[in-house]
Amino acid sequence: MIRYLGKRIIFMLISLFLIVTATFFIMKAVPGGPFTSEKQVPPEIKAALEAKYKLNLPLHEQYFEYLKGVVTWDLGPSFTEKSSTVNDMISRGFPVSAHLGAQALLLAIFGGITLGVIAALNHNKWQDYSAMVIAVLGLSVPSFILASFYQYIFAIQLGWFPIAKWEGFEYTILPSLALAASPMAFIARLTRSNMIEVMGQDYIKTAKAKGLHTVAITVKHAIRNALLPVVTYLGPLIAGILTGAFVIERIFGVPGLGREFVLSITNRDYTVIMGTTVFYSIILVVMILIVDIAYTLVDPRIKLSDAGKE
Amino acid sequence: MQNLTKEHFEPISVDLRQAEAIKRPSLSFWSDVWRRMRMNKVAMASMIFIVALIVCAIVVPWLTPQDYFTTDLAGKNKKPSAEHWFGTDDLGRDVFERIWYGARISLQVGLAAAFIDLIIGVIWGGLAGFYGGRVDEIMMRIADILFAIPYLLVVILLMVVLEPGVGTIIIALTITGWIGMARIVRGQILQLKNQEFVLAARSLGADANRLIFKHLIPNALGPIIVTLSLTVPSAIFAESFLSFIGLGVSAPIASWGTMSNEGLPAMKYYPWRLTFPAIFISMTILAFNLFGDGLRDAVDPRLRK
């Protein structure tokens, strides 16, 4: 266990190091610095600014400075929003994003499992077909289209929910639904196929033969085994929800980190792009590690030493 | 009752050699796949839709008098009509025309990205699976590390830096996109390489190159093609996602993502500017997904659930 963990953490650190390095050099390769503008700045001011942001150092020293910054969790200033640093932006935006993400995550997991179980229990009946139609649609319609569709129907036409902004619970519903749609569809499909497989197993027949109620069979015997593959999907799921939030937050005007990220791309605010990329990568890589560990804890049949090899 | 004499019986001549002859045409693996595929109406409908889409994307911009970039400020935001089937946008450009140019972009990106993923993935996974041991360990570790980097973040980062354009999108999408294919190929090769036909080929003196590309890969084609067909919709999705957040192709080139992006603020008053690109993106991804699902069921009926 400890050996496996150590190995995983080392690989995780290598991944993160690569991400930070790649981000740094990609951003430095962009022609023009942050102070390139149409206005002629006096050379003294430019030099002072560059000294302030340490841009006058040679590239490798800047790189080590940046690495040091990442390790000590100081991601540098923002170039377009002069008053705030990347750290400020993350601590401002991330709680909102996390709230939205958590809501979407719960919705996706519970909605997806419910749909999948209903479909599997009514295999080849209308419930199954309609659940799978919903799932295929959820997988095929991009979230940004779904989001604008929700806005049009539920906010503009029906007026049930506010169209945008982030001021209370009713503001969170449409974005969460839009964000949760495609992972929910994926989970529904996964759950359904696993449930169908599990329901055909002998121990389910035994449970039926000894006269257990359908509910008991489903809940106690079938779902637990059918859900194992769903746990492996949690890692990619979290990644999907984090990146999916880029557009959803933009469409619904949610003041989260995703919108900040997209804005920084539009403004070409390189330190913010760098900082948020690094931040997102850390979260994702750590989440995926946690999910993998959780998976081995949930399913005792998997030996940790073999798990890394597939 | 009549007496039955020997004359009443005569041998029907049966040629035993004929009885052994195979009357039906023998089905190869792929004709079997095609037979199963034809029974799946949804997959066939998707295939017809995809073919029609490709043909239209090539043909329609030729046949129609309008083009995708001519602006007409007097006739902006017009409703769908006989002249402009899907209406016009905020610069008076014909939406119908832009949709088909967008189809070209989406299909180019989807097919090219899938094809490049295929080539890199097959070579990488094939070598790793075939040689095994150390080589496999190192190659798959590299893939694992690259895979841990969130896909869309890499793509976004590259798009920020590189010149925007179709080629850039394809490069950005394939830079980590091949890993899924490499894993599938490696898994297949690992399964196949200990079978007798490989041993037979080996004992006839086939070298590694021939073994991998003439014997192992062709036998793994089923899963490879299924993965390929499911890469296309995800690449099309990624392209529209990038264009939607303003990182895709630049104006005046039309892409479904940029069209949706521009149509979004006008949704309340000019819904057609969002509706048509939205419908086309969704239908295309849907068709490719359903086709891929159908293909998977046809290639390996055991997987059907």
Side-chain angles (χ1 to χ4, degrees), chain A residues 29 36 67 73 82 103 136-137 205 214 232 235 247-248 255 303:
Chain A
T36 322
L67 275 187
W73 200 240
K82 291 281 172 345
Q103 227 166 290
V136 170
L137 283 179
K205 273 188 206 136
T214 326
T232 28
V247 283
I248 299 297
K303 289 244 175 67

Side-chain angles (χ1 to χ4, degrees), chain B:
Chain B
M1 186 159 170
Q2 200 182 345
N3 273 339
L4 289 172
T5 59
K6 259 206 169 146
E7 284 81 63
H8 285 96
F9 297 92
E10 55 176 286
I12 302 171
S13 69
V14 173
D15 188 349
L16 282 176
R17 271 170 307 171
Q18 279 286 313
E20 288 294 306
I22 296 165
K23 283 220 185 79
R24 290 174 212 273
S26 72
L27 285 176
S28 73
F29 174 67
W30 290 108
S31 48
D32 212 27
V33 167
W34 175 235
R35 189 180 56 80
R36 281 194 290 261
M37 191 78 185
R38 259 185 326 202
M39 291 192 299
N40 186 341
K41 290 201 187 69
V42 177
M44 287 312 282
S46 311
M47 199 177 83
I48 292 168
F49 177 85
I50 293 168
V51 171
L53 190 78
I54 294 174
V55 171
C56 287
I58 298 170
V59 171
V60 169
W62 269 356
L63 294 183
T64 45
Q66 288 104 342
D67 54 52
Y68 68 93
F69 51 82
T70 305
T71 55
D72 170 19
L73 291 179
K76 63 180 186 183
N77 291 326
K78 273 203 187 139
K79 272 196 178 138
S81 63
E83 196 194 347
H84 300 290
W85 286 4
F86 291 173
T88 60
D89 68 2
D90 56 340
L91 295 173
R93 294 174 296 199
D94 185 60
V95 174
F96 183 72
E97 201 67 23
R98 290 175 71 73
I99 286 280
W100 290 111
Y101 272 95
R104 286 184 173 184
I105 306 265
S106 292
L107 291 170
Q108 267 174 34
V109 169
L111 297 177
F115 187 68
I116 296 172
D117 282 355
L118 171 80
I119 292 175
I120 305 178
V122 163
I123 294 175
W124 193 274
L127 292 178
F130 183 77
Y131 287 107
R134 243 301 104 98
V135 180
D136 180 37
E137 181 81 3
I138 294 171
M139 287 178 92
M140 291 328 280
R141 278 293 159 255
I142 294 175
D144 281 351
I145 289 172
L146 281 177
F147 197 68
I149 305 171
Y151 177 67
L152 265 176
L153 282 181
V154 180
V155 176
I156 288 175
L157 216 57
L158 284 174
M159 294 302 300
V160 169
V161 181
L162 302 172
E163 277 299 295
V166 177
T168 320
I169 298 183
I170 295 171
I171 293 173
L173 288 181
T174 45
I175 208 150
T176 57
W178 55 271
I179 295 171
M181 180 63 89
R183 287 185 165 175
I184 299 273
V185 174
R186 172 179 170 268
Q188 288 293 315
I189 301 283
L190 282 182
Q191 264 181 29
L192 290 170
K193 75 173 179 187
N194 292 325
Q195 292 193 7
E196 281 82 358
F197 73 93
V198 181
L199 187 66
R202 207 190 277 271
S203 57
L204 286 171
D207 60 359
N209 221 357
R210 193 181 165 82
L211 277 176
I212 296 178
F213 294 104
K214 283 263 154 116
H215 294 280
L216 290 170
I217 300 286
N219 277 294
L221 263 189
I224 291 177
I225 286 187
V226 171
T227 317
L228 185 71
S229 71
L230 293 172
T231 315
V232 180
S234 66
I236 291 179
F237 167 76
E239 185 274 323
S240 59
F241 184 95
L242 288 175
S243 301
F244 187 78
I245 61 175
L247 281 176
V249 292
S250 43
I253 303 174
S255 139
W256 293 342
T258 42
M259 290 172 75
S260 323
N261 187 17
E262 289 161 5
L264 183 66
M267 171 174 66
K268 196 166 173 184
Y269 305 105
Y270 316 115
W272 59 88
R273 281 178 47 199
L274 176 63
T275 316
F276 287 111
I279 290 175
F280 272 86
I281 301 176
S282 311
M283 289 285 286
T284 307
I285 297 178
L286 180 69
F288 273 105
N289 274 334
L290 291 174
F291 174 73
D293 283 356
L295 195 61
R296 185 186 51 208
D297 292 344
V299 165
D300 191 351
R302 283 168 305 169
L303 287 178
R304 175 177 250 146
K305 280 165 188 168

